[in-house]
Amino acid sequence: MSKINIDHISFHYPGSDQRETALDDVSLSIEAGEFVCLLGPSGCGKSTLLSLLEGLNQADSGEIRIDGTAITGPGRDRAVVFQHYSLFPWLTAQKNVLFGIRQSGIRHSREEQRRLADHYLSCVGLGSAGGRYPAELSGGMQQRVAIARALAMEADILLMDEPFGAIDPKLRQDLQELVSRLSVEHQKTVVFVTHDIDEAILLADRIVVMEPKHIRAVVPVGFPRPRRRDNIAQTEDYIQLRKHLMSLFYEQVADEIYEEVVL
């Protein structure tokens, strides 16, 4: 049995007509420990699909199951990392992570909670920043705290919605490699939304290329994880995979432009 089964999902937002349907008959299976990237341009439905996985919205038809059980709402088996950090500004880095630990529902003593918070901050390279507030941290450091908080929830599944979209290119590469390593070390099943082809290749076992309402293609990535960009970016396999993904990605963008002009 797959870890996640997305079975013939359709969804439209309340108040929208049929033409504005966000997802139409989408199916996908994700294995335990797999890292899957949802790749596509803005508005293609990838964040909508993630919101259904989170349990924040319910599908109009079809079903999503985790370990065979249908999703009916948010659950402790899923932790989420958003693009804009979502840290509590009045809490220190350590206390933001402690919040994640307490949300997990796992019973720990206060001493053990603090030990775990410090452990997960160390995992993301912020072992000395536990006493600092979000306003005292850079954007990249804040996102590291958000990742530490998600890991501290000890959920099997990480859902990540363009978590590095607001971070400068150098820090973005560092965080990509950090997430790639941590997902392997902590044996997480990850669903990661992105519109960046190179990011998807660096991170994913499989790349789900989305077009409006549908999945266009599912493309396997053959490089073992975790990966470093400088180890793979010049290989012929990387170059050919990137060309293939670009053809899928930009062909659908061209189709959308054509439809807008014609219609």
Side-chain angles (χ1 to χ4, degrees), residues 39-173:
L39 174 69
S42 298
C44 70
K46 55 190 188 296
S47 289
T48 300
L49 182 54
L50 202 76
S51 77
L52 295 174
L53 285 167
E54 292 171 39
L56 298 179
N57 291 299
Q58 294 295 309
D60 300 322
S61 61
E63 187 175 60
I64 300 178
R65 299 182 301 277
I66 295 176
D67 293 327
T69 301
I71 291 176
T72 58
R76 290 170 175 168
D77 53 355
R78 286 151 281 156
V80 186
V81 180
F82 299 100
Q83 180 175 349
H84 295 293
Y85 323 138
S86 300
L87 300 179
F88 298 112
W90 59 88
L91 297 180
T92 64
Q94 185 198 56
K95 289 182 178 178
N96 267 282
V97 178
L98 282 168
F99 177 83
I101 293 169
R102 289 163 185 161
Q103 287 294 105
S104 73
I106 300 172
R107 299 179 67 87
H108 296 294
S109 67
R110 289 187 177 274
E111 182 180 348
E112 179 67 4
Q113 288 177 6
R114 287 192 293 271
R115 188 196 69 77
L116 286 170
D118 292 341
H119 166 72
Y120 285 111
L121 283 170
S122 294
C123 285
V124 300
L126 292 178
S128 61
R132 296 168 66 180
Y133 289 88
E136 300 173 316
L137 303 173
S138 68
M141 293 171 76
Q142 289 184 57
Q143 194 60 293
R144 286 173 184 260
V145 176
I147 293 167
R149 182 175 62 189
L151 290 173
M153 292 179 68
E154 299 186 356
D156 292 338
I157 297 169
L158 284 181
L159 305 174
M160 308 187 79
D161 194 358
E162 299 200 57
F164 311 140
I167 295 171
D168 70 71
K170 176 61 174 72
L171 284 174
R172 183 172 184 149
Q173 183 173 332

